[in-house]
Amino acid sequence: MTNEPERILVVGGGYVGMYTALRLQRKLRQQLRKGDVQIVVVDPEPYMTYQPFLPEAAAGSISPRHVVVPLRRTLPDCQVVVGEVRTIDPEARVATVETLATAEEGSGPLEVTWTELVLAPGSVSRTLPVPGLAEHGIGFKNVEEAIGLRNHVLEQLDIASSTRDPDVRDAALTFVFVGGGYAGVEALAELEDMARYACRYYHNLKPEDLRFLLVEASDRILPEVGEDMGRYALRELRARNIDVRLETRLETCEKRVAVLSDGSRHPSRTLVWTAGVKPHPILAATGLPLNDRGRLRCTAQLRVDGTDHVWAAGDAAAVPDLAAERNGNGNGGGRNADGSERKPECAPNAQHAVRQARVLADNVAAVLNGGEVADYRHAYAGSVASLGLHKGVAHVYGRKLKGYPAWFMHRAYHLSRVPTFNRKARVLAEWTLSGLFKREIVSLGSLEHPRAEFELAAGTGRHPEAS
């Protein structure tokens, strides 16, 4: 009778999943090589996306392949499974996983048993039932969407340059972004920079012909960088003739017309939705305790509340913020839906996710080796945000920066945080080259339908645009 190895199942290959597996393989390397322990990472994609670089990838400052980190290369001692976890049974310690192979074979999902379970599926875009949003909206959460948006924006310039219809031209040159958080502001700022630069290569387009509109439901943008820096960012965007509408909502966007709650109508061929995220739907199917926001209730040791062998961190986890009084940045407070007092929780951002992953990995390794687990406690360092090339805002360790210093700090911070030396070197090289040469403004929209031209040539009767 052979002894089964202890298996750590990591659900999700994003910030928390990848960093947890990376630290675990370092701490348990000897046990992994002996076969006493296995680490299995399950994610729908074979790579981790470094999301803070998506705006720069969309603007062409970084190549798309350098925004992602290949899991198999980074985690050589782990088993990477490209698939989706469908069900989790915490009592039986079994998860069912669907892969590309199971779909091809027509067989049922794989059953994976586990000794310790790490839930790090991350989050998905939070959408609202806005008429027309599903048909015309563009997300901004992964590298495919970022590159698709870049191609789309450049194609709109092509349309505006070649049309004789003034209504089509105006709609093509109007870009609506919904959501004034990090994703929305940074995506808008970078793409606005790129689009206005690209206009110099069109004989009949001028930068002032473009119209960018940012719609935010609250009374401020970039709340993460503080009130003062948020006001500065607002002034900076408006100084660039970007129309920022605060305390305004998108009502409908049917027939490519964005109708706002202030009654204004904006014909536009581009609507980018970045209005927040929500926990991954798999969490609701686990039967594990959730808070009123759909996140897993966790202890300070990053265990899921009421369990001994299930762990979570990042966007999926509601982790008590033990340093909330010192940070002044706790997420929560007030009352829960049942009337109980809500304790401050760690904000679902990358800074907490990376640091939580380290503590989580240390705690899982300690449990396997009979050691003691530790609490997660992190003094919040601050926030940085880019507002386009050479422009930014930052609130770090109580210091407020703006303009070029903040932009430089934004790049330096994220360069230090992107995993692996390989990626750091490649990103730094691209930044250096982009400073020496002009921007690339080529649209590769045909990449979205790579077989279209061949199908037409083969006589299928299908037009490329209909594929």
Side-chain angles (χ1 to χ4, degrees):
M1 180 176 177
T2 59
N3 292 325
E4 286 288 325
E6 294 185 288
R7 181 177 293 121
I8 304 168
L9 175 60
V10 181
V11 179
Y15 283 112
V16 173
M18 196 212 71
Y19 278 108
T20 299
L22 184 63
R23 193 169 180 88
L24 279 170
Q25 77 173 6
R26 291 171 182 167
K27 297 184 75 69
L28 303 174
R29 184 149 288 161
Q30 294 301 321
Q31 292 164 271
L32 288 167
R33 290 176 178 174
K34 290 179 182 178
D36 297 334
V37 175
Q38 285 183 345
I39 302 173
V40 179
V41 180
V42 181
D43 193 85
E45 304 293 346
Y47 53 78
M48 173 264 214
T49 302
Y50 193 74
Q51 293 184 352
F53 282 160
L54 290 182
E56 292 204 50
S61 299
I62 302 177
S63 298
R65 67 185 184 279
H66 298 155
V67 178
V68 299
V69 180
L71 294 178
R72 288 192 174 90
R73 180 174 180 176
T74 309
L75 306 172
D77 296 327
C78 302
Q79 180 183 347
V80 177
V81 178
V82 177
E84 292 192 68
V85 173
R86 294 301 185 187
T87 63
I88 295 173
D89 187 341
E91 296 294 330
R93 298 196 199 180
V94 176
T96 58
V97 181
E98 286 190 0
T99 68
L100 294 175
T102 57
E104 289 291 328
E105 295 168 356
S107 59
L110 301 175
E111 287 194 351
V112 181
T113 59
W114 44 268
T115 308
E116 302 292 332
L117 174 65
V118 176
L119 286 173
S123 56
V124 297
S125 295
R126 176 174 60 86
T127 59
L128 299 175
V130 176
L133 179 61
E135 294 79 11
H136 305 300
I138 302 172
F140 198 78
K141 192 137 190 344
N142 54 52
V143 69
E144 294 86 357
E145 288 176 331
I147 303 310
L149 179 57
R150 168 186 169 80
N151 292 332
H152 174 83
V153 169
L154 292 174
E155 286 174 356
Q156 299 315 301
L157 300 186
D158 291 334
I159 290 172
S161 176
S162 57
T163 185
R164 295 182 179 180
D165 188 326
D167 292 335
V168 172
R169 176 188 168 95
D170 291 344
L173 296 179
T174 300
F175 306 92
V176 179
F177 288 70
V178 181
Y182 273 130
V185 171
E186 291 192 338
L188 180 149
E190 291 285 353
L191 285 164
E192 187 262 354
D193 255 358
M194 180 199 73
R196 294 199 192 280
Y197 174 86
C199 283
R200 68 181 64 185
Y201 297 103
Y202 291 84
H203 70 284
N204 56 350
L205 294 183
K206 294 181 291 185
E208 51 267 30
D209 294 336
L210 305 181
R211 182 163 179 259
F212 282 82
L213 174 64
L214 177 63
V215 180
E216 169 54 40
S218 70
D219 61 353
R220 57 194 288 195
I221 63 171
L222 293 177
E224 300 88 349
V225 299
E227 190 172 349
D228 289 344
M229 291 296 94
R231 283 198 296 265
Y232 168 80
L234 179 61
R235 291 196 302 270
E236 169 69 21
L237 294 180
R238 285 176 170 167
R240 289 157 58 176
N241 291 323
I242 296 173
D243 187 356
V244 182
R245 306 283 180 101
L246 300 179
E247 298 182 284
T248 306
R249 299 180 307 280
L250 176 69
E251 299 287 353
T252 73
C253 54
E254 294 178 300
K255 298 181 180 179
R256 296 187 181 275
V257 177
V259 180
L260 306 184
S261 58
D262 60 7
S264 59
R265 296 168 57 87
H266 308 273
S268 173
R269 294 177 56 86
T270 306
L271 177 73
V272 184
W273 181 268
T274 62
V277 296
K278 63 181 180 181
H280 196 285
I282 186 62
L283 301 183
T286 62
L288 295 168
L290 306 177
N291 68 1
D292 55 354
R293 297 175 181 174
R295 301 165 71 197
L296 292 164
R297 293 184 183 275
C298 293
T299 67
Q301 295 82 31
L302 303 174
R303 279 191 172 110
V304 174
D305 198 16
T307 69
D308 291 326
H309 303 284
V310 183
W311 311 77
D315 290 354
V319 179
D321 189 353
L322 301 184
E325 292 184 5
R326 181 168 32 147
N327 292 341
N329 285 294
N331 182 35
R335 296 283 175 179
N336 291 310
D338 59 5
S340 61
E341 184 178 357
R342 178 189 297 149
K343 296 181 180 179
E345 299 168 355
C346 295
N349 57 35
Q351 186 177 151
H352 278 301
V354 173
R355 288 169 171 81
Q356 286 173 2
R358 295 175 187 167
V359 176
L360 194 160
D362 291 346
N363 284 349
V364 171
V367 167
L368 292 179
N369 294 318
E372 295 292 325
V373 298
D375 289 344
Y376 172 74
R377 185 190 302 269
H378 167 58
Y380 191 69
S383 301
V384 291
S386 170
L387 298 178
L389 190 62
H390 299 162
K391 298 175 283 290
V393 290
H395 189 184
V396 182
Y397 293 116
R399 297 184 60 119
K400 300 173 183 178
L401 301 174
K402 55 189 178 181
Y404 186 89
W407 171 83
F408 183 83
M409 179 171 286
H410 173 271
R411 282 198 162 184
Y413 173 79
H414 286 299
L415 184 65
S416 71
R417 290 292 176 251
V418 68
T420 78
F421 176 78
N422 179 293
R423 281 294 174 273
K424 295 180 195 293
R426 290 177 183 272
V427 169
L428 182 59
E430 289 204 307
W431 280 342
T432 303
L433 291 174
S434 66
L436 298 174
F437 301 100
K438 296 180 179 180
R439 285 179 184 261
E440 294 287 349
I441 57 164
V442 177
S443 168
L444 297 177
S446 58
L447 289 176
E448 298 167 25
H449 306 289
R451 296 190 66 248
E453 185 173 348
F454 179 79
E455 288 174 345
L456 184 64
T460 61
R462 295 175 61 185
H463 191 275
E465 295 178 357
S467 61

